[in-house]
Amino acid sequence: MYGILLPKHRYRVADLEWRKIYLGKAKLKSSSLITSLLSGFALVALVEIGIESDVSPGLIIAFSVCTTLLVSVHLLALMVSTCILPHIEAVSNVHNVNSVKESPHEKMQLFIQMAWAFSTGLGIILFLTELVLLCWVKFNTKSLHYNSAAAWASTGIVIPVGVVFIVFAFHFYKKLIAHKFDNHERDLDALTRMANELDNHNESRIQTV
Amino acid sequence: MYGILLPKHRYRVADLEWRKIYLGKAKLKSSSLITSLLSGFALVALVEIGIESDVSPGLIIAFSVCTTLLVSVHLLALMVSTCILPHIEAVSNVHNVNSVKESPHEKMQLFIQMAWAFSTGLGIILFLTELVLLCWVKFNTKSLHYNSAAAWASTGIVIPVGVVFIVFAFHFYKKLIAHKFDNHERDLDALTRMANELDNHNESRIQTV
Amino acid sequence: MYGILLPKHRYRVADLEWRKIYLGKAKLKSSSLITSLLSGFALVALVEIGIESDVSPGLIIAFSVCTTLLVSVHLLALMVSTCILPHIEAVSNVHNVNSVKESPHEKMQLFIQMAWAFSTGLGIILFLTELVLLCWVKFNTKSLHYNSAAAWASTGIVIPVGVVFIVFAFHFYKKLIAHKFDNHERDLDALTRMANELDNHNESRIQTV
Amino acid sequence: MYGILLPKHRYRVADLEWRKIYLGKAKLKSSSLITSLLSGFALVALVEIGIESDVSPGLIIAFSVCTTLLVSVHLLALMVSTCILPHIEAVSNVHNVNSVKESPHEKMQLFIQMAWAFSTGLGIILFLTELVLLCWVKFNTKSLHYNSAAAWASTGIVIPVGVVFIVFAFHFYKKLIAHKFDNHERDLDALTRMANELDNHNESRIQTV
Amino acid sequence: MYGILLPKHRYRVADLEWRKIYLGKAKLKSSSLITSLLSGFALVALVEIGIESDVSPGLIIAFSVCTTLLVSVHLLALMVSTCILPHIEAVSNVHNVNSVKESPHEKMQLFIQMAWAFSTGLGIILFLTELVLLCWVKFNTKSLHYNSAAAWASTGIVIPVGVVFIVFAFHFYKKLIAHKFDNHERDLDALTRMANELDNHNESRIQTV
Amino acid sequence: MYGILLPKHRYRVADLEWRKIYLGKAKLKSSSLITSLLSGFALVALVEIGIESDVSPGLIIAFSVCTTLLVSVHLLALMVSTCILPHIEAVSNVHNVNSVKESPHEKMQLFIQMAWAFSTGLGIILFLTELVLLCWVKFNTKSLHYNSAAAWASTGIVIPVGVVFIVFAFHFYKKLIAHKFDNHERDLDALTRMANELDNHNESRIQTV
């Protein structure tokens, strides 16, 4: 029973390690997908939009700043993703428990989190802003008789959406932390139970000896 | 017979858990695909459409509201999908029955349902509205001699389609509920049968003892 | 021999079930691919085409109706696909014969057939019509000296193609039905043979007893 | 030795069947990929090209005919592919040798060949023609001083390419036929050898009896 | 020891065969990817570019020739790829060592090499030329005050890149040949060693007899 | 114990080799993805941007140089990737430890690193520059009243992003080197421990003899 107990325990630890690797991999992959999608649309919008000469200079500055920020943030996330992903994929393809320790995912954890937070968090907020600015540039022009109502309507929708977005992000983060805490507690319980079993086993072995 | 019975039962429970995980994963994946497709088309339409100066202001406001809502709804769905999918994928790649309990899919069930309902349900209804508004903006202009007939024809087609859509959604939901109810009933039957077998087995064991 | 016979038979039934699931899955996947492709092109055509002011109003109405129908039909197919596909995929990933019975593919058979027929059948016919209408809108204009010959040539090609299409669809359907009939007959033969074997086996067992 | 011989032979026949299925599947898949690519470009060219008013009517008719043919041919190939592919995929996923006989790939062989020949053969020839016509429409206009030299140069390149294309297609077809003939001959040799071995084996068995 | 030796040797030969098949498959796949990408961009450039009337006729001829060549070369590579790939894939899916001999990859080796060399070698050189011609057409116009400096700068960058490209291609080819030579030598060594072992084994068997 | 020790050690070495192969493969794949994405956007920007006649000649030269460099760098990376990837994939599909030595990944290490560094490092820096130049070309024009503030804002954002980018690249490189050093040290430790065990084992064998 002693021999079976330990490998099982070690297996669980390896399992946890693998899960962390797969989590990092999935996060980087999904962040690079969103990244290429959203920054691509922002760029196409920058190149193809025809800005009329009566658009206020401040709006153009805001549009320029937002587009540049959006593309920069996504490029940073993309770079982090292309730097770390190959190393994680190389390790996860070998299917050897020992090689898990040689994966850079532990040391690069901060960068992975940053890339993911940048592309999903900051990136989506910036994209919503870009959408509002596009509506202002497109509708508040002389040729459409300065239809600022359309632009205000768009702004009025994006603001509650942004609030829902932040609330969800906060709620999700809280649930995730609680979920992690639960898992850690269960792991701790399992460890203490295992330690007790080992003690009992040793004692009974000593007694039988 | 007793030893084989229990693991089989436990296997079935694990099976059910796995199916829930795969269902959540498939739902999030398909919702993120539709999301990127439909919101992409809406954005391209917003950037590239040339709105003529004689389009009524109310129509422009409606177009602005619809596009913003469409993109916002899809971005929310996309965000939910990128937040939860990596955690589910990390768990479903480890292939360990115990790790199923550590997946956040159970606690996040509400968000998964919401993301999926948003992108398929609300998203498609909004897209049909966008299509009708595009026809009005495009055809009811001075250069095409205010061809409102074309715009009305488009509206006349979308309305029955929308009704069919809602009827299907309702019908599908009812069938799914009935289907789930059937499964639960079958599961309950299996459990009671199993409990009876155990009782008989124990009794016969007691008698043989 | 008796013990081997039955599981083999049961295996064949499970096999048939699996094939139905995979068929439904493949149909939904291919229908959603065509759907996104063709409706995407129709939408881009609607947004980007520059319709000149001398195009006849009737043509514009036809174009509007055709585009709306095309996009609606494909959106319906897409919705059916996103509703049912996750459930089928969840079942087909568990790889447990018992879970086949819990798949909704049997009850949703009608919807799957409808989604597939809509996107391949009606969808392609509508797309060919859209192509002809695009040629009329593009070529039969003042700037090209009302080049109706080009538009008629396009129409003249699409009509025989449409006929070939319908003939193929009919022929394919007939062959498929004949093919299914053959399979059912073979299954029936196998069942009667199996029943005879069982009878013989039982008789010989009775005789040996 | 007798018992091992036969299954091995049967295995080879199943292998051949599987190869035919995979070949049909791969052909349909590659044909549907080319199809969507080339017809997509043709459609974008039709919608987005700005034809000037001094382009000769004959050229416009040729352009209209070529585009319609190109899209029609590819849509036919796409339809054949979406009709047959799900049935083949359903069979190839079950991994049961007996189910091979129930695949429609044998009876649909003609359609598979047709879809593939249409999309690769006729489709590419039509695409090259479309390219030449695009050059004529684009370069032989008043605004570019009727630069027919550019159009002729393009035509002069496509003609030898078309010849190389047809020669390759002929050469490839001949090699494939020769290759199939070789395989059949080898199969026949193997069968006669097997028949001889069986005869010898039976004779030696008779002698030993 | 004799019985284990031979299968191992035969295994190695099968391994080599498989590697050749996978190499051909990977080459065709990567060539078809580049092909569709680069020829797609060239086509979009041809359809969407607005050539001004003061561009010199010679430049237009060069642009027309380069685009036609680029698309033709890629279509030829695409056709070769779609003709051969299904046959290779059908063989590589069966996973039977004997079927390797029936793959057309050996006889079609020349075509595979040609398709790959066309799409990567000639295709990229032509694409760089297209890029330079685009800069000339775009920048050396009256509306930009004949900014030939910008066009010359682009030309001045592409020329060294082209040289680096050819040097790399030469270097890569040399290394690959050396690498293949090494492998062949190692194979030969292994064969002679194996032959010696067999001789020794036979001699020792003769001596023991 | 001696027999188990050596294969385990050899297995570890093979593992390391496999990891290098997978790392090279993943790097080339991710570099070719970024490559096609970024160079595609640069090309579309070059073809579709409408440069006004009052843009300063120096800016146009800078734009021309940057676009050409960007596309050239990515094409070089793409070529390296298509040259080496098929050879690595062919080896990694055979799943034979001996074939690892025949992979060209070791000798081509320099090219792989170069392709990857070009597309992620130089490529992203050039893309950020392109973005700034696009803003200058688009916003600093007469029709927008020479809104240089918008262009300066964009430049002001990209500069710190570029610094963060370079700092990250440096930091990442340092961590990677440290990580590699750790692994090598651990490998060395394992080897010395193994050597000691072998010595002890041999000594004890000598003593027992």
Side-chain angles (χ1 to χ4, degrees), chain A residues 66-81:
Chain A
C66 186
T67 306
T68 312
L69 262 180
L70 188 55
V71 176
S72 300
V73 158
H74 283 306
L75 277 186
L76 266 179
L78 187 66
M79 196 195 55
V80 172
S81 169

Side-chain angles (χ1 to χ4, degrees), chain B residues 15 19 30 34 41 48 116 127 138-139 143 145 147 149-150 154 157-158 165 168 171-172 175 179 182-183, chain C residues 40 43 46-49 51-53 57 60-61 64-65 68 75 79 82-83 86 90 93-94 96 102 107 111:
Chain B
D15 243 45
R19 236 177 58 214
S30 80
I34 290 199
F41 280 127
E48 300 211 343
W116 186 72
F127 199 76
K138 200 88 194 193
F139 299 133
S143 69
H145 315 292
N147 193 334
S154 165
I157 289 164
V158 163
F165 174 87
F168 169 80
H171 193 76
F172 178 77
K175 272 212 167 167
H179 185 74
D182 278 22
N183 283 355
Chain C
L43 260 168
L46 177 64
V47 172
E48 301 211 342
I49 204 170
I51 301 173
E52 289 179 41
S53 61
I60 295 179
I61 295 175
S64 169
V65 167
T68 313
L75 277 185
M79 197 196 54
T82 22
C83 279
N93 274 334
V94 173
N96 182 2
E102 287 154 31
K107 285 171 192 161
F111 293 126

Side-chain angles (χ1 to χ4, degrees), chain D residues 15 45 72 82 131 133 137 145 155 186 208:
Chain D
D15 242 46
S72 299
T82 22
L131 180 68
L133 291 173
V137 168
H145 316 293
T155 319
R186 214 178 318 151
T208 52

Side-chain angles (χ1 to χ4, degrees), chain A residues 40 43 46-49 51 53 57 60-61 64-65 68 75 79 82-83 90 93-94 96 102 107 111, chain F residues 12 15 19 30 34 41 48 116 127 138-139 143 145 147 149-150 154 158 165 168 171-172 175 179 182-183:
Chain A
L43 260 168
L46 176 64
V47 171
E48 300 210 343
I49 204 172
I51 301 172
S53 61
I60 295 179
I61 294 174
S64 168
V65 166
T68 312
L75 277 186
M79 196 195 55
T82 22
C83 279
N93 275 333
V94 173
N96 184 3
E102 287 155 29
K107 286 172 190 159
F111 293 126
Chain F
R12 246 202 76 97
D15 243 45
R19 236 177 58 215
S30 81
I34 291 200
F41 279 126
E48 300 210 342
W116 186 71
F127 199 77
K138 199 89 195 192
F139 299 133
S143 68
H145 315 293
N147 192 334
S154 165
V158 163
F165 174 88
F168 169 80
H171 194 74
F172 179 76
K175 270 213 169 167
H179 185 74
D182 278 21
N183 283 357

Side-chain angles (χ1 to χ4, degrees), chain E residues 138-201:
Chain E
K138 201 88 194 194
F139 299 133
N140 192 26
T141 58
K142 199 182 169 188
S143 68
L144 297 180
H145 316 293
Y146 300 105
N147 193 335
S148 63
W152 277 118
S154 165
T155 318
I157 288 164
V158 164
I159 287 171
V161 168
V163 171
V164 166
F165 174 87
I166 288 165
V167 167
F168 169 79
F170 188 78
H171 194 74
F172 178 75
Y173 190 75
K174 238 178 63 187
K175 271 213 168 167
L176 208 74
I177 293 291
H179 186 72
K180 268 192 186 159
F181 188 77
D182 277 21
N183 282 357
H184 274 289
E185 213 157 66
R186 213 177 321 149
D187 290 0
L188 250 160
D189 283 6
L191 280 172
T192 27
R193 219 174 321 117
M194 239 151 66
N196 291 340
E197 276 181 56
L198 278 172
D199 283 353
N200 295 343
H201 189 73

Side-chain angles (χ1 to χ4, degrees), chain E residues 103-136:
Chain E
S103 156
H105 74 105
E106 202 79 42
K107 285 172 190 159
M108 302 289 174
Q109 200 65 37
L110 184 77
F111 293 126
I112 296 176
Q113 293 290 356
M114 203 184 70
W116 187 72
F118 260 38
S119 65
T120 49
L122 195 52
I124 288 181
I125 293 269
L126 280 170
F127 198 76
L128 286 173
T129 317
E130 179 95 4
L131 181 68
V132 170
L133 291 173
L134 266 175
C135 283
W136 278 98

